[in-house]
Amino acid sequence: MAAPHSATARSLTRTIKQRMLLLAVAAMALTGGLWIYSEYAMFQATSQELKQQHILESRLVLREEVTQVLDYISYQKSTTDTRLRRAIRDRVDEAHAIASHLYKLNIGPLGPKRTQDLIREALRPIRFNSGRGYYFATDIHGVEQLMPVRPEMEHTNILGLRDPSGRSVVKDLIDIAATKGQGFYSYLWPKPGKPASPEPKIAYVKLFQPLGWILGTGEYLENVEQVIKAETLDRIERIRFDETGYVFALDMHGIMLANGAEPSLAGRSMNATTDEDGRPLIPQVIRAATSPGGGFLRYVWEKPAGPGRYPKLTYFLHVPQWNWILGAGVYLDDLDSAMVAMEADLRADIRDRVLTIGAIMAVLLISITIIVRVLTARLNSSFAALTNFFREAASGAAYIDPDAMVFDEFRQLAAPANEMVRERSTALAELAKAHSELEERVRTKTAKLRQMNNDLLQREELLRVTFNSTGDGLLVTDTADYIIKTNPRFHELWGIPPSDAPSGFSVRRVRERIAEQLTVPPQWPRPTATTVDAALFDELICTDGRIIERATYPLVNADATLGTIYNFRDITEKRRAEGELSRLRLLLGNIVDSMPSVLVAVDEFERIIQWNRAAQDYTGIDMQGALGEKLDDILPAMTGHMPMVRHAIHQKEPQHTPRLVHVADGEQRFYDITAYPLGTETTSGAVIRIDDVTERVRIEDMILESEKMVSLGGLAAGMAHEINNPLGAILQSNQNIIRRLSPNLPANAKAARATGVDLEAVSEYLHMRRIPTYLEGIAEAGNRAATIVRNMLDFSRRNDTNKRPYHLSSILDDAVELASKDYQPDKQYDFRNITIQRDYDADVPLVHVSRTEIEQVFLNLLKNAGQALATKSFENDTPRITLRISHDSERVRVEVEDNGPGMDAALKRRVFEPFYTTKEAGAGTGLGLSVSYFIVTRNHGGEFRVDSQPGEWTRFTITLPVGGE
């Protein structure tokens, strides 16, 4: 009898089935959980990576959009001057064409005057540039012909108009048109309504040859820039990118200038706008925009398409040219929406994978259940085969041969087992595919990084080649004074082998090696600023004579200083060339300054480029004050002689103008002006030489005067001889008449008796008719004439300068006699009407003198006194000349004093100067007193002085030695 079944006993099949099912479920749960966790972790990493990549791409898009607008502004700013010049040139060409057409049609029928009026009125109403632009016309003499905005200026000379910097605007415009035919001119000029703030302005002028007019127009640079700003703002308002992206512009005061999403905001202040924390938004915007390279800012802002405020990321950049702030942004909720869609796709993919895993686990669970049933039915006979199967299946794709199973259960288990292996292979294939996709993405990113690395290596190689190929020696150190890098030129320049200055070593030894080669140990300063333009420059003098220029730059990255760059350049030859050039320039300057003539060099525009010391002394203007100025502005005396300068400049022919008269400070001077052409085929100018030839002209005049006096002396001597013969006959005949009428002569009585004439009666008749008186007058006049002729002959014959003893009183009286005969109506005085008072000492000794020279001195003094007395009106007195001669033991003194108008102190100082005269032109040479002074002091060793009381008297005193010189 079989033993009873225990209530606690378990069926092996059921136990194996339960245990295997439990194990299979646990294994599938663990495998599925790990798989699902792996997929979720991959989802989180991929989601975060996509989000960061999307934000980075958005930042790049925003920066690119703003940068494009900045590039457009820079381009527009750079074309301001070109656009302005092209616009005003086209306008002036139009005006020139209109004037040419009207002139051609109307000059014949209407004549010049009406044709001018027709052209003027045709151009007057024309306006352009939003009504700002108009035409003006000026003739080549500076007379305004057309000024629509100020018609009162028309037909007036405006050459004197200058801009606030002092430039002669109209004169310069005329020079441009006259020399080039047409051209541009930049200057400062107040805007209408703003006289105190001149603005830059450009004018274009063109010569209208038929009328001699200069047609032109102008425009302010600021007006053109305002137009360009308006065009730029209009362009900004039309920029769109992505779905909601746009660009906007603010000024530094928070005023919205343009908004691509809401144009109505233009002109409104944004200063009241705050962020989500209630802080003012505009200061944050300004800080972000003015930071280096611009900056990003997160804040909340209204969406153009709907209500509410949403988080926004915006890139701001400052535009220094116009002091604007450009901005472009994206709404972060749009990024979140994109990320939500991407996450939903990922979640759906994960869900599909989880479902697939669940299905696979369910299939496996069913298969295991079947296998367990087979195993429980045929455990004993097939356990070894099943064990072998699981052993092999654990390491590879092993399959059970159903025919090898003893029991059908195991055969039934073999098929699911084999199916399990196939499913696992499929799952592993899918996993390998996912792994392959991941590896492909890694390879793509690796390739990009490799390309970036290659680009970086190429740039590093280019920098290395440039660093090593430069002609300057370079030494780069860090902040701790350790060498970072040197180039070959540095080692060649200082003779330091590369092995003595390797990278990473202290720079101290290198500095010592350099100091050994210098005359003065150098300092090694470091720039305190963090910008590359904060360089320090100095020169190092080597003991071998070389001069090394050292430039010290900061090595900076962003705002951080990484070290110092020392740039060494050998400038020895440069300094030698500069020294030689300075020496030659100094030598040329000394040569030019040493010349007594005024030398001035001008360029083709008649502006001064060279000014010597004689020119400075002549004008009182130094070289710095003269350089660059117009020649006729600095030398007004050249105003009337500029045509000869222009002829020398443009025709390349020397010009010479002699003996130009110029009166300065009441003195007449004579100058020779010569203009020599200066220049080459590409440059032109002239050198003007001004020579003071006053002394030469005066000497020439004196020679002519002397020759004339010699001729007059010869003529006077000849006339005296000719007069002397008839005068002798007259006197002799007069004496014979007196003798023949005398009744006391026997011959007369005899002739009277023979003719029956009563001599007594005749004598009575003659006395009654005063005939004897007339005959005595004839004799007296004849004798006086004979005396004059004799004195003239004596004066003309005294040509020797031998000194003999003479009484000065006799010489002085002869001079008075000669002066008394000197009366001519055109000289406005008569010496005979002047009272002569003599005060001669007795026993005045003889004086050894040249009679001719001393008589000439006395005669000059007497004539000058007579002419001076003629200029004074006498009421209670008469004109008088007092002559005094006195002596002491060694000297004789002669005084010639008149009671004329006298002399002031200035006249007394110059009275003995050659060529100085107070008489009218042609009335004297100014040599009389200077020659007299020379005769007395040099020829006779005497003294000659003048004393005077203005309005009362003048006294000339001559003192001569008794024994002669």
Side-chain angles (χ1 to χ4, degrees):
M1 183 175 182
H5 181 69
S6 174
T8 60
R10 297 182 180 179
S11 171
L12 177 60
T13 304
R14 184 179 299 170
T15 300
I16 292 174
K17 181 172 59 177
Q18 290 176 349
R19 297 285 178 91
M20 291 185 69
L21 288 175
L22 180 61
L23 179 61
V25 170
M28 287 188 292
L30 179 60
T31 303
L34 290 175
W35 196 348
I36 292 173
Y37 176 78
S38 175
E39 291 292 338
Y40 182 76
M42 183 181 295
F43 162 75
Q44 290 292 337
T46 304
S47 175
Q48 186 65 26
E49 181 181 354
L50 291 175
K51 186 173 183 180
Q52 293 298 327
Q53 182 177 358
H54 198 61
I55 292 176
L56 179 59
E57 291 176 353
S58 298
R59 283 175 174 259
L60 293 176
V61 170
L62 296 178
R63 187 184 295 271
E64 179 66 22
E65 292 294 334
V66 173
T67 302
Q68 289 180 2
V69 175
L70 181 61
D71 292 342
Y72 176 79
I73 290 174
S74 299
Y75 169 75
Q76 291 290 76
K77 178 73 174 178
S78 67
T79 61
T80 300
D81 187 77
T82 303
R83 291 178 57 177
L84 171 57
R85 289 175 180 265
R86 182 172 59 248
I88 62 176
R89 181 183 60 199
D90 291 344
R91 287 294 182 180
V92 173
D93 288 343
E94 291 174 5
H96 193 276
I98 293 171
S100 299
H101 181 68
L102 293 176
Y103 182 85
K104 183 177 180 181
L105 291 178
N106 298 283
I107 187 61
L110 300 182
K113 180 63 172 63
R114 293 184 62 189
T115 301
Q116 288 183 17
D117 295 339
L118 181 62
I119 293 173
R120 184 184 295 112
E121 298 308 318
L123 298 178
R124 185 185 301 279
I126 297 178
R127 296 292 186 273
F128 42 89
N129 292 343
S130 302
R132 301 187 307 272
Y134 58 88
Y135 295 120
F136 63 84
T138 307
D139 66 19
I140 59 175
H141 303 293
V143 177
E144 190 71 7
Q145 298 295 330
L146 173 63
M147 179 57 71
V149 296
R150 295 187 64 185
E152 70 275 6
M153 295 176 62
E154 294 180 3
H155 306 298
T156 62
N157 193 299
I158 59 172
L159 276 177
L161 285 181
R162 297 178 179 268
D163 70 357
S165 64
R167 299 170 61 194
S168 300
V169 175
V170 177
K171 191 172 183 181
D172 291 345
L173 291 175
I174 292 174
D175 289 344
I176 290 173
T179 57
K180 300 181 180 179
Q182 58 192 8
F184 293 96
Y185 182 70
S186 301
Y187 58 102
L188 296 175
W189 203 253
K191 274 191 170 183
K194 299 180 179 179
S197 57
E199 297 287 345
K201 189 174 184 180
I202 297 179
Y204 180 78
V205 293
K206 189 171 185 179
L207 179 64
F208 183 59
Q209 189 67 41
L211 296 181
W213 285 9
I214 298 168
L215 300 177
T217 188
E219 179 61 292
Y220 292 93
L221 284 172
E222 184 184 12
N223 293 336
V224 178
E225 189 167 286
Q226 293 300 327
V227 173
I228 292 176
K229 286 182 179 179
E231 293 176 357
T232 303
L233 293 177
D234 181 67
R235 180 184 178 92
I236 290 173
E237 290 184 348
R238 291 186 279 107
I239 295 176
R240 296 289 190 279
F241 59 92
D242 295 338
E243 294 183 2
T244 60
Y246 62 92
V247 180
F248 59 91
L250 298 162
D251 66 11
M252 296 298 286
H253 303 292
I255 305 300
M256 183 70 71
L257 302 176
N259 191 296
E262 297 184 67
S264 60
L265 291 178
R268 292 173 55 183
S269 175
M270 298 289 106
N271 288 301
T273 308
T274 59
D275 61 10
E276 56 270 26
D277 296 328
R279 295 176 300 177
L281 186 59
I282 293 302
Q284 301 179 54
V285 170
I286 294 175
R287 282 194 299 272
T290 55
S291 63
F296 290 90
L297 186 65
R298 293 175 182 261
Y299 58 95
V300 294
W301 195 260
E302 295 85 357
K303 271 192 176 182
R309 292 162 62 89
Y310 297 89
K312 189 176 183 180
L313 176 65
T314 302
Y315 175 69
F316 293 98
L317 182 63
H318 181 231
V319 183
Q321 295 95 326
W322 294 338
N323 214 20
W324 287 2
I325 297 176
L326 297 177
V330 294
Y331 289 94
L332 296 178
D333 63 325
D334 293 339
L335 297 178
D336 294 340
S337 299
M339 292 305 303
V340 167
M342 295 173 65
E343 290 176 355
D345 293 339
L346 286 174
R347 286 193 182 93
D349 184 52
I350 294 298
R351 185 173 61 251
D352 293 341
R353 293 188 181 189
V354 171
L355 292 176
T356 301
I357 293 172
I360 293 173
M361 293 301 175
V363 172
L364 289 175
L365 182 59
I366 295 173
S367 300
I368 292 173
T369 302
I370 296 173
I371 293 172
V372 170
R373 287 178 180 177
V374 173
L375 286 176
T376 57
R378 300 185 178 185
L379 179 62
N380 292 329
S381 60
S382 301
F383 186 81
L386 185 61
T387 302
N388 186 54
F389 161 74
F390 279 110
R391 187 182 297 114
E392 294 178 358
S395 61
Y399 295 93
I400 301 176
D401 183 7
D403 296 333
M405 296 294 102
V406 177
F407 300 103
D408 291 338
E409 289 83 3
F410 279 95
R411 290 190 183 98
Q412 294 175 1
L413 180 61
N418 291 335
E419 182 66 21
M420 179 189 69
V421 173
R422 284 191 291 270
E423 291 292 338
R424 189 186 71 171
S425 298
T426 302
L428 290 174
E430 292 180 356
L431 183 61
K433 182 180 179 181
H435 180 71
S436 177
E437 291 177 353
L438 181 60
E439 285 183 343
E440 181 63 26
R441 293 177 63 183
V442 171
R443 281 195 297 271
T444 302
K445 290 189 177 181
T446 302
K448 290 182 179 179
L449 290 174
R450 187 176 292 110
Q451 181 63 37
M452 293 174 63
N453 186 56
N454 290 337
D455 293 342
L456 184 60
L457 290 175
Q458 291 178 1
R459 293 181 181 179
E460 183 179 359
E461 177 64 16
L462 178 62
L463 178 60
R464 185 188 66 79
V465 172
T466 303
F467 186 84
N468 290 333
S469 301
T470 180
D472 295 345
L474 296 177
L475 170 64
V476 185
T477 65
D478 60 15
T479 55
D481 282 342
Y482 285 93
I483 298 174
I484 297 177
K485 197 170 184 61
T486 59
N487 71 339
R489 176 59 179 158
F490 172 80
H491 300 290
E492 176 186 350
L493 191 65
W494 295 110
I496 301 175
S499 59
D500 291 350
S503 299
F505 277 65
S506 174
V507 78
R508 181 178 59 82
R509 179 53 186 162
V510 173
R511 291 177 176 174
E512 292 174 355
R513 294 280 296 275
I514 292 175
E516 292 171 358
Q517 303 179 46
L518 303 179
T519 58
V520 178
Q523 300 295 322
W524 295 89
R526 293 179 180 173
T528 57
T530 59
T531 57
V532 294
D533 56 350
L536 304 174
F537 293 90
D538 60 350
E539 293 184 0
L540 308 177
I541 309 302
C542 299
T543 56
D544 59 4
R546 291 180 303 156
I547 303 175
I548 308 299
E549 180 184 66
R550 179 178 63 177
T552 307
Y553 303 91
L555 180 62
V556 296
N557 182 14
D559 292 334
T561 301
L562 305 180
T564 306
I565 301 174
Y566 298 97
N567 189 99
F568 300 92
R569 177 176 297 173
D570 190 341
I571 60 171
T572 306
E573 292 303 321
K574 176 183 176 183
R575 285 290 181 266
R576 289 175 181 170
E578 289 175 351
E580 182 64 17
L581 181 61
S582 298
R583 188 188 68 79
L584 292 176
R585 184 181 292 111
L586 180 61
L587 176 61
L588 179 60
N590 289 336
I591 291 173
V592 172
D593 286 339
S594 299
M595 297 184 68
S597 302
V598 173
L599 282 181
V600 182
V602 297
D603 59 15
E604 59 182 326
F605 303 109
E606 302 166 19
R607 293 189 294 261
I608 296 173
I609 59 176
Q610 182 64 40
W611 187 260
N612 74 339
R613 185 176 290 111
Q616 177 177 334
D617 296 339
Y618 177 72
T619 61
I621 301 173
D622 60 12
M623 180 179 291
Q624 296 301 321
L627 290 181
E629 299 294 329
K630 299 285 285 185
L631 176 61
D632 51 354
D633 291 340
I634 298 297
L635 279 173
M638 287 295 299
T639 302
H641 309 291
M642 291 308 295
M644 66 175 287
V645 177
R646 298 188 184 104
H647 183 88
I649 293 174
H650 299 296
Q651 302 301 323
K652 305 297 183 183
E653 296 177 352
Q655 299 293 306
H656 179 69
T657 303
R659 296 187 67 165
L660 293 175
V661 179
H662 180 64
V663 178
D665 298 330
E667 182 179 3
Q668 186 181 61
R669 310 290 295 182
F670 296 89
Y671 296 93
D672 284 354
I673 299 178
T674 306
Y676 301 96
L678 171 70
T680 63
E681 295 180 355
T682 58
T683 60
S684 61
V687 176
I688 296 93
R689 191 184 79 190
I690 303 176
D691 296 302
D692 188 341
V693 296
T694 305
E695 299 301 326
R696 189 191 74 194
V697 170
R698 288 176 175 173
I699 291 173
E700 291 174 354
D701 291 343
M702 182 176 68
I703 293 172
L704 292 176
E705 186 71 21
S706 299
E707 292 177 351
K708 184 173 70 175
M709 292 301 296
V710 170
S711 299
L712 288 176
L715 179 62
M719 291 177 61
H721 278 293
E722 293 299 326
I723 293 173
N724 200 36
N725 293 328
L727 183 60
I730 293 172
L731 290 175
Q732 184 176 3
S733 298
N734 183 71
Q735 184 177 5
N736 287 334
I737 291 172
I738 295 174
R739 287 175 57 83
R740 297 297 172 86
L741 293 176
S742 174
N744 298 324
L745 291 178
N748 293 344
K750 182 179 179 181
R753 286 194 300 270
T755 58
V757 176
D758 186 358
L759 284 178
E760 295 295 337
V762 172
S763 177
E764 184 65 25
Y765 167 78
L766 292 176
H767 280 85
M768 290 181 64
R769 300 298 299 167
R770 302 184 62 187
I771 298 302
T773 303
Y774 295 148
L775 293 175
E776 291 175 359
I778 292 173
E780 182 181 355
N783 290 327
R784 289 178 58 194
T787 302
I788 293 172
V789 169
R790 184 174 61 256
N791 289 336
M792 289 177 63
L793 288 173
D794 291 342
F795 187 78
S796 64
R797 291 168 181 162
R798 294 169 190 161
N799 52 10
D800 65 280
T801 58
N802 294 328
K803 297 177 182 177
R804 297 184 179 87
Y806 290 100
H807 286 289
L808 293 183
S809 57
S810 66
I811 298 175
L812 185 56
D813 289 339
D814 288 345
V816 172
E817 183 68 21
L818 286 173
S820 65
K821 307 302 187 294
D822 184 25
Y823 169 72
Q824 297 179 20
D826 57 347
K827 291 188 177 180
Q828 304 297 323
Y829 77 95
D830 186 354
F831 198 85
R832 293 173 297 181
N833 295 329
I834 299 174
T835 301
I836 305 297
Q837 291 185 353
R838 291 176 173 81
D839 184 5
Y840 299 164
D841 283 357
D843 301 327
V844 174
L846 298 176
V847 180
H848 284 74
V849 297
S850 169
R851 180 182 181 91
T852 303
E853 291 180 349
I854 294 300
E855 189 175 39
Q856 180 181 353
V857 172
F858 292 159
L859 184 60
N860 284 335
L861 293 178
L862 293 170
K863 286 185 176 181
N864 287 343
Q867 293 169 355
L869 290 169
T871 63
K872 180 178 179 180
S873 298
F874 293 92
E875 296 180 358
N876 300 323
D877 200 355
T878 57
R880 180 178 65 257
I881 296 177
T882 301
L883 307 177
R884 301 186 182 91
I885 299 178
S886 59
H887 72 283
D888 53 26
S889 59
E890 297 180 354
R891 308 178 74 82
V892 174
R893 184 171 58 253
V894 179
E895 296 179 1
V896 179
E897 180 181 320
D898 64 74
N899 60 343
M903 303 181 188
D904 56 21
L907 183 57
K908 284 170 59 179
R909 284 195 302 270
R910 304 189 61 186
V911 71
F912 295 118
E913 290 183 9
F915 305 107
Y916 179 75
T917 179
T918 59
K919 302 171 185 176
E920 298 179 356
T925 63
L927 294 171
L929 287 177
S930 64
V931 171
S932 299
Y933 186 85
F934 180 83
I935 291 172
V936 171
T937 58
R938 293 288 299 275
N939 291 0
H940 291 81
E943 297 177 359
F944 199 170
R945 75 169 189 273
V946 61
D947 300 291
S948 181
Q949 179 68 40
E952 299 295 332
W953 51 268
T954 299
R955 179 170 59 245
F956 287 91
T957 302
I958 298 172
T959 305
L960 297 173
V962 172
E965 184 182 11

